[in-house]
Amino acid sequence: MQEKSCKIVSLNISERKGTIKTPRKEITLTNEGIHGDAHAGKWHRQISLLADESIKSFEGELGREINHGEFAENITTLGFSVHKTKPFDRFVCGDVEMEVTQIGKKCHGDNCEIFQQTGKCVMPSEGIFCRVIKTGKLKEGDQLEYRPKTFRVKVLTLSDRAFEGVYKDKSGPLIEKLTKDWFQGQNYSIKTNRIVIPDEADILEKELNKAVQENYDIIYTTGSTGIGPRDIAPDIISNFIDLEIPGIMDMIRLKYGANKPNALLSRSIAGVKNKTLVFSLPGSTKAVHEYLKEIHQILMHSFLMLHSIDSH
């Protein structure tokens, strides 16, 4: 989805969860959500949004007009279908900034006043939830600028010979391609940066720190993970990360090492530095395929956990 904007047609508040909200001309967003609203708190679903387009579509099913706030949405928008956004996308208006954290929700059914009055609810499928990133005020009629998330990925190939031009780096470009394919398959934009460096500890440390300072979402290294005298990546990365994620690499080694024992010699490591995921992969293209196939299965949940979004 390209950058666009939507108009705020209604701002709605209620003092209890699961109840119909009533319109306000202006609201104040704090670090915990909307001041005076029942959904405010230290969690990821502080503010709910629903497109007027969704409401109008649902009116046909109910056979009557639906008032703004009747589905308990805090912000009713007009301009595009907000449920087609994704977690980590953002809405900006002046000083205010909100981050999308969840699309849809579980309906409470008979225990929900909205469901009791309407017989149905559109929020489970087309409502979205945000949390406040920057505080401020919103007014009816304001425009929310939509800014889709672009993930940033750094790829570091460690190889003395590739750095010297003895042979062409193949694993780095493959990581870049497979990563782009995966993110685009999730409908996310992605930017990558790829370089080749020698198997030198100080150079690797410098590049790792630079990537974190530049707020990359993922750092992939490839090569230098074995037991040779120049295989330095796991040792440097182990000292660099804040937390290790041992399970994913252990599982990959065991899964592929069952048929090819040489795979068990890899000392590949995974971990977290600040909000950046770090994965150290072997240098062969075959291993890159195998490792990324497994890593991609846990990638989005890892991002949600890192950013305190409870998706359970």
Side-chain angles (χ1 to χ4, degrees), residues 111-126:
N111 293 323
C112 176
E113 181 180 336
I114 303 160
F115 185 87
Q116 291 174 0
Q117 292 193 26
T118 64
K120 294 182 179 180
C121 185
V122 72
M123 287 298 289
S125 59
E126 299 190 15

Side-chain angles (χ1 to χ4, degrees), residues 236-250:
I236 300 304
I237 292 172
S238 179
N239 291 327
F240 172 73
I241 56 179
D242 300 321
L243 299 171
E244 185 178 357
I245 312 171
I248 182 65
M249 295 307 193
D250 289 344

Side-chain angles (χ1 to χ4, degrees), residues 57-103:
S57 175
F58 210 69
E59 284 180 344
E61 293 188 39
L62 288 181
R64 68 171 178 84
E65 183 178 346
I66 299 171
N67 296 317
H68 294 148
E70 199 166 346
F71 286 124
E73 80 277 8
N74 291 121
I75 301 176
T76 315
T77 65
L78 180 65
F80 66 92
S81 301
V82 295
H83 66 278
K84 294 182 179 179
T85 62
K86 304 168 300 301
F88 306 113
D89 291 348
R90 295 194 176 186
F91 289 97
V92 178
C93 178
D95 295 332
V96 170
E97 191 164 338
M98 299 178 290
E99 181 180 59
V100 178
T101 57
Q102 184 174 315
I103 310 298

Side-chain angles (χ1 to χ4, degrees), residues 12-31:
N12 317 296
I13 293 179
S14 63
E15 295 181 356
R16 292 189 300 113
K17 293 182 180 180
T19 61
I20 291 171
K21 297 182 184 294
T22 55
R24 303 289 192 276
K25 292 296 183 182
E26 180 179 280
I27 58 173
T28 300
L29 275 65
T30 71
N31 290 323

